[in-house]
Amino acid sequence: MTTDTPARLLQLLSLLQTPREWPGGELADRLGVSRRTIRRDIDRLRDIGYPVRATLGPDGGYRLVAGKAMPPLVLDDEEAVAIAVGLRVGAGHALEGVEEASVRALAKLEQVLPGRLRHRVTTLQAATTPLISGDGPTIAPGTLTVMAAAVAGRERLRFAYRAADGTESRRVTEPYRLVSTERRWYLVAYDLDRADWRTFRVDRVSEPFATGARFTPRELPTGSAAEYLRQSMHRVQESYDLDVTFAAPAEAVAARLPGWLGTPEPLDERSCRLRTTLDGPKDWTAVCLAMPGYDFTVRKPAELVESVRELGERMTRAAAGH
């Protein structure tokens, strides 16, 4: 019998959060109390915002239903591990459609996860390899959760950063937002040493540490972190016109080509042509063009032709040792 009311309420809530209707008698037997106590506990849950619906009948039943707001959830060990692993996988690969909210949820969950469960999550993730369609670099989930917690808590964030040219530096920032693109995560933050706003690719961040020093958020020039990132990327990268032909039907190429490259147009039944404007790194574009597995010819730009040639030479050297 559970005599401690808070503990009993948590047990009752855990039972009600399973998708079924519970007869009052069964709940009473599970918790070792009377049906009258169950009715009082149900009223207590309703008073704190849990929408519990009662049904009429010989035994009477209770079911937790959707309400106007999301109430706190009670998870058992297996459920907590499953959710944490799922959030880690999604956040670490920056899957399209996985927004900053998933990282905030992961940060909250790992904050309260008992040590024994945190170890199980880490062990399970290390032992599994997800099959995904994402094309970007992977990110340590711990890096994202530390950064998300600093954003939510308005704490200054210190980290090591490796620039595109390999230059390494230490940064102290006031983190504003994490922004997820189709292939990467970025941090928009105010860089205290440079006294200006900056964007940082999260896969180039290491040793993130929330200092505990609080700050009042500054006003972002563009008002939107996503818009600031877009403008920042536009300033750094020059756009170029891409013109490529594939020795394969347009439908077959489109099915295997990353969506952000666009849709090829058929030239005939056995070939197609892709023309679009891009602003990403040309070496990565070369890799993506090779991904469908069909012969292709780059018409322009000339810099991409060189990138494709270098990629082919590296692949040839890699295969030479086997």
Coordinates of all heavy atoms in Angstrom, one line a residue, residues 18-19 35 43 60 71 77 120 146 157 159 167 170 182 213 215 229 235 252 276 280 290 296 304:
T18 N -0.6 5.5 -19.9 CA -0.7 4.5 -20.9 C -2.0 4.6 -21.7 O -3.0 5.0 -21.1 CB -0.5 3.1 -20.3 OG1 -1.6 2.9 -19.3 CG2 0.8 2.9 -19.6
P19 N -2.0 4.3 -23.0 CA -3.2 4.5 -23.8 C -4.3 3.5 -23.6 O -4.5 2.6 -24.5 CB -2.6 4.5 -25.3 CG -1.4 3.6 -25.2 CD -0.8 3.9 -23.8
R35 N -11.2 2.7 -3.5 CA -11.7 3.4 -4.7 C -12.0 4.8 -4.3 O -11.9 5.7 -5.2 CB -13.0 2.7 -5.2 CG -12.8 1.3 -5.7 CD -14.0 0.7 -6.3 NE -13.9 -0.7 -6.7 CZ -14.7 -1.3 -7.5 NH1 -15.8 -0.7 -8.0 NH2 -14.5 -2.6 -7.8
D43 N -9.2 13.7 -8.6 CA -9.6 15.1 -8.5 C -8.3 16.0 -8.3 O -8.3 17.1 -8.8 CB -10.5 15.3 -7.3 CG -11.9 14.8 -7.5 OD1 -12.3 14.6 -8.7 OD2 -12.7 14.4 -6.6
G60 N -16.8 1.7 -13.5 CA -16.3 3.1 -13.7 C -14.8 3.0 -14.2 O -14.0 2.2 -13.8
P71 N 0.7 18.6 -20.3 CA 1.1 18.5 -18.9 C 2.4 17.7 -18.8 O 2.8 17.1 -19.7 CB -0.1 17.6 -18.3 CG -0.5 16.8 -19.4 CD -0.4 17.6 -20.6
D77 N 11.8 3.8 -16.8 CA 13.2 3.8 -17.3 C 13.3 3.5 -18.8 O 14.1 4.2 -19.5 CB 14.0 2.7 -16.5 CG 14.3 3.2 -15.1 OD1 13.8 4.3 -14.7 OD2 14.9 2.4 -14.3
R120 N 23.2 4.1 -19.9 CA 22.5 3.2 -20.8 C 22.3 3.9 -22.2 O 22.5 3.3 -23.2 CB 21.2 2.7 -20.3 CG 21.3 1.7 -19.1 CD 20.0 1.3 -18.6 NE 19.1 0.8 -19.6 CZ 17.8 0.5 -19.3 NH1 17.3 0.7 -18.1 NH2 17.0 0.0 -20.2
V146 N 24.5 21.1 -24.5 CA 25.1 22.1 -23.7 C 24.8 23.5 -24.3 O 24.5 24.5 -23.6 CB 26.7 21.9 -23.6 CG1 27.3 23.2 -23.1 CG2 27.0 20.7 -22.8
L157 N 28.5 31.4 -23.1 CA 29.0 30.1 -23.6 C 30.4 30.2 -24.1 O 30.8 31.1 -24.9 CB 28.1 29.6 -24.7 CG 28.4 28.2 -25.3 CD1 28.1 27.1 -24.3 CD2 27.7 27.9 -26.6
F159 N 33.7 28.1 -25.9 CA 34.0 26.9 -26.7 C 35.2 27.2 -27.6 O 35.7 28.3 -27.8 CB 32.8 26.5 -27.5 CG 32.3 27.6 -28.4 CD1 32.8 27.8 -29.7 CD2 31.2 28.4 -28.0 CE1 32.3 28.8 -30.5 CE2 30.7 29.4 -28.8 CZ 31.2 29.6 -30.1
T167 N 42.0 27.4 -38.9 CA 42.4 28.2 -37.8 C 41.6 27.9 -36.6 O 40.4 27.8 -36.6 CB 42.3 29.7 -38.2 OG1 43.0 30.0 -39.3 CG2 42.8 30.5 -37.0
R170 N 39.6 30.3 -29.4 CA 38.7 30.2 -28.2 C 37.7 31.3 -28.3 O 38.1 32.5 -28.5 CB 39.4 30.2 -26.9 CG 40.6 29.2 -26.8 CD 40.1 27.8 -26.7 NE 39.3 27.5 -25.6 CZ 38.9 26.3 -25.2 NH1 39.3 25.2 -25.9 NH2 38.2 26.1 -24.1
E182 N 19.0 22.1 -43.6 CA 18.8 20.8 -44.1 C 19.9 19.9 -43.8 O 19.8 18.7 -43.6 CB 18.5 20.8 -45.6 CG 18.2 19.4 -46.2 CD 18.0 19.5 -47.7 OE1 17.9 20.6 -48.3 OE2 17.8 18.4 -48.3
A213 N 27.6 32.6 -16.1 CA 27.4 34.1 -16.1 C 26.1 34.4 -16.9 O 26.1 34.1 -18.1 CB 28.6 34.7 -16.7
F215 N 23.3 36.8 -18.8 CA 23.3 38.1 -19.7 C 21.9 38.4 -20.1 O 21.0 37.6 -20.2 CB 24.2 37.9 -20.9 CG 23.7 36.9 -21.9 CD1 22.9 37.3 -22.9 CD2 24.1 35.5 -21.8 CE1 22.4 36.3 -23.8 CE2 23.6 34.6 -22.7 CZ 22.8 35.0 -23.7
L229 N 21.3 34.2 -40.2 CA 22.1 33.1 -40.8 C 22.1 33.1 -42.3 O 23.1 33.0 -42.9 CB 21.6 31.7 -40.3 CG 22.3 30.5 -40.9 CD1 23.8 30.5 -40.5 CD2 21.7 29.2 -40.4
R235 N 26.8 36.4 -47.5 CA 28.0 37.3 -47.6 C 29.2 36.5 -47.8 O 30.2 36.9 -48.4 CB 28.1 38.1 -46.3 CG 27.0 39.2 -46.2 CD 27.4 40.1 -45.0 NE 27.5 39.5 -43.8 CZ 26.5 39.4 -42.9 NH1 25.3 39.9 -43.2 NH2 26.6 38.7 -41.7
A252 N 15.3 8.7 -62.6 CA 16.2 7.9 -61.8 C 17.2 8.8 -61.1 O 17.6 8.5 -59.9 CB 17.0 6.9 -62.7
T276 N 20.9 25.0 -62.1 CA 20.4 25.7 -60.9 C 21.5 26.7 -60.5 O 22.6 26.7 -61.0 CB 20.1 24.7 -59.8 OG1 19.5 25.4 -58.7 CG2 21.4 24.0 -59.3
G280 N 26.8 27.0 -52.1 CA 27.5 26.2 -51.2 C 28.9 25.9 -51.6 O 29.3 26.3 -52.7
A290 N 28.1 13.0 -57.4 CA 28.5 11.6 -57.6 C 27.6 10.6 -56.9 O 27.7 9.4 -57.2 CB 30.0 11.4 -57.1
F296 N 28.3 11.5 -65.2 CA 27.8 12.9 -65.4 C 29.0 13.7 -65.9 O 30.1 13.4 -65.8 CB 27.3 13.4 -64.1 CG 28.3 13.6 -63.0 CD1 29.0 14.8 -62.8 CD2 28.6 12.6 -62.1 CE1 29.9 15.0 -61.8 CE2 29.5 12.7 -61.1 CZ 30.2 13.9 -60.9
L304 N 34.1 24.0 -60.4 CA 33.5 22.7 -60.0 C 34.1 21.6 -60.8 O 34.2 20.4 -60.3 CB 32.0 22.8 -60.2 CG 31.2 21.5 -59.8 CD1 31.4 21.1 -58.4 CD2 29.7 21.7 -60.1

